[in-house]
Amino acid sequence: MSAYLDHAASTPMRPEAFEAMVPWLQHQHANPSGAHRLARDARRAIDEARDVVAAGLGVDPGEVIFTSGGTEADNLAVLGVHDRRGGTVVGAATEHHAVLEPVLSRGGRIVTVGPDGVIDLDALAAALDPHVMLVSVMLANNEVGTVPPLAEVAEVVARHAPGASLHTDAVQAFSWLDVATGAASADLVSISAHKFGGPKGIGALAVRSGTPLSPRQIGGGQERDRRSGTHNVAGIVAMAVAMASTVEQRVATVARVGALRDRLLDGLLAEIPDLVETGGPRSARVVGIGHVCIPGVESEALLFLLEQAEVYAAAAASCASGAMEPSHVLAAMGVPRGVAFGALRLSLGWCSTDDDVDRALEVIPPAVERLRRFAGSAATGPTSVAARVGRGTTP
Ligand code: PLP
């Protein structure tokens, strides 16, 4: 029996999203920018999808820009506002690299977070001034699941940087939170379909009208000149179907997956001595992400043992795993380096089951015990523990 516990990296496609996508890959191949009937059909499908996505994000259809995913949406938000307005850009220390790198590339300011991973509002106020033109604070963190008080963030921004636009990366939030309400105070909102049951390679940036933005991709003038490039019709249609299902089932899914997450974490806490649950109270984190740190164990080695037992999880953000540096999120939260080396993210999704939790609880505690025995007998650093179980790095 296997258990996939890496839904925050990518969650399986919903069958209805897959089915909706197939005709646009198989038979309906016209370019939606064309003039004939087949092109108009494709354009209509995009328009219908745009209505669904706009409703899910609480914006007008004309405020939705389809992108190739969350990374492009985040880049477009930060760089697009900066290209248009200049000034200073500001981001929280725990942002995804898709936000952090653009902020740093423009010489922006990074704001500290508290031990619970929530942005420090005093530090935010101190980082702001009238020259700040963009502030980016994510709606749910991809490693520990923390949800910041975005409306309060917006108030601080309005008070100290009245000309600034507020961007929120809602990529990890969409499955679990009513983004239309939760991101109502943001001017720009990023999402990515493969985190909520759509395909990889499609996402969107919602940009409320009046928000100044320069395009990053220029050419044929699609998306009202805000993002040129032939539309990914199949991806857009499938994303909308996945989004509609996510919104319709969200309340029930959150209740069901929340109970699974609690059983998983409580089971690990009961079985593994000294295990530390990361982040603030569970009620202040999205239900899909469980994060723990296991002192005396190195994540790389643990992930290897779990994989052998067909339990698939992650150490840090999936893009960052492979590096032996502890995650920037845990570092920003002040988790000691030695503890952060034992980070384990167990993330659940719309199709997670009790069997997944049972399997994880069956496999993880003995794997930890085995590694701790190795570590005790080796009296060496974490890398050599990884080497002893047969693996130095992850691909
Ligand atoms: N933002 C967050 C919070 C994410 O978790 C991810 C993906 O891991 C991204 C952005 C990037 O999205 P995509 O994989 O669609 O480029």
Side-chain angles (χ1 to χ4, degrees):
M1 192 173 62
S2 73
Y4 182 73
L5 294 165
D6 203 13
H7 292 260
S10 200
T11 198
M13 274 187 77
R14 291 172 180 269
E16 61 274 26
F18 179 74
E19 276 158 32
M21 179 172 202
V22 173
W24 298 100
L25 294 170
Q26 226 172 8
H27 310 298
Q28 292 167 284
H29 36 71
N31 188 322
S33 299
H36 49 71
R37 181 175 59 77
L38 301 183
R40 289 197 302 278
D41 287 349
R43 207 150 56 233
R44 197 170 315 112
I46 292 175
D47 288 344
E48 286 169 13
R50 196 185 300 282
D51 290 346
V52 173
V53 172
L57 297 179
V59 300
D60 290 334
E63 296 175 324
V64 171
I65 302 176
F66 290 119
T67 66
S68 63
T71 301
E72 188 193 331
D74 286 346
N75 273 244
L76 178 57
V78 178
L79 302 176
V81 171
H82 186 262
D83 283 355
R84 174 64 81 87
R85 306 191 69 194
T88 306
V89 293
V90 172
T94 48
E95 294 300 305
H96 190 275
H97 285 290
V99 166
L100 272 186
E101 297 306 321
V103 167
L104 292 171
S105 77
R106 293 296 185 267
R109 295 178 192 151
I110 302 299
V111 179
T112 52
V113 300
D116 52 2
V118 176
I119 186 166
D120 179 333
L121 294 180
D122 293 332
L124 174 63
L128 299 178
D129 61 47
H131 299 292
V132 171
M133 292 298 151
L134 181 98
V135 176
S136 189
V137 177
M138 69 204 317
L139 199 53
N141 180 264
N142 50 301
E143 289 188 35
V144 293
T146 318
V147 178
L150 199 69
E152 289 176 42
V153 168
E155 279 170 28
V156 173
V157 172
R159 206 172 319 129
H160 298 275
S165 301
L166 177 62
H167 167 243
T168 193
D169 175 337
V171 166
Q172 292 290 343
F174 196 83
S175 287
W176 315 114
L177 304 177
D178 176 359
V179 171
T181 308
S185 52
D187 303 297
L188 306 110
V189 184
S190 305
I191 53 155
S192 174
H194 73 106
K195 309 291 186 174
F196 57 85
K200 296 173 183 63
I202 185 72
L205 178 68
V207 185
R208 286 189 210 279
S209 58
T211 307
L213 186 84
S214 287
R216 298 289 302 162
Q217 225 166 280
I218 50 179
Q222 287 90 343
E223 297 294 282
R224 299 187 183 183
D225 280 330
R226 295 166 301 182
R227 196 274 189 183
S228 287
T230 300
H231 289 98
N232 173 356
V233 187
I236 290 169
V237 167
M239 173 164 70
V241 171
M243 186 178 255
S245 297
T246 301
V247 171
E248 191 189 310
Q249 297 161 21
R250 200 188 265 134
V251 171
T253 308
V254 166
R256 194 180 67 77
V257 172
L260 291 178
R261 187 264 318 250
D262 289 347
R263 190 161 77 79
L264 175 59
L265 291 177
D266 290 343
L268 294 177
L269 282 163
E271 291 295 322
I272 301 175
D274 302 330
L275 179 121
V276 183
E277 192 177 331
T278 323
R282 286 183 199 168
S283 57
R285 290 181 271 139
V286 289
V287 295
I289 298 182
H291 192 286
V292 295
C293 289
I294 311 173
V297 162
E298 188 257 308
S299 326
E300 298 282 310
L302 179 58
L303 289 179
F304 174 71
L305 291 188
L306 299 190
E307 186 183 313
Q308 283 189 324
E310 293 190 75
V311 171
Y312 302 101
S318 60
C319 341
S321 62
M324 282 304 289
E325 272 304 301
S327 103
H328 71 284
V329 173
L330 299 182
M333 291 166 65
V335 176
R337 239 179 115 80
V339 177
F341 271 124
L344 181 65
R345 182 184 72 179
L346 302 162
S347 55
L348 302 153
W350 64 275
C351 52
S352 293
T353 62
D354 270 308
D355 286 348
D356 294 324
V357 173
D358 290 343
R359 181 68 181 152
L361 292 176
E362 184 185 11
V363 168
I364 297 173
V368 168
E369 202 193 316
R370 186 173 155 201
L371 290 171
R372 280 181 169 167
R373 250 186 289 120
F374 266 130
S377 63
T380 49
T383 355
S384 61
V385 176
R388 285 170 72 111
V389 296
R391 185 159 161 193
T393 54
T394 35

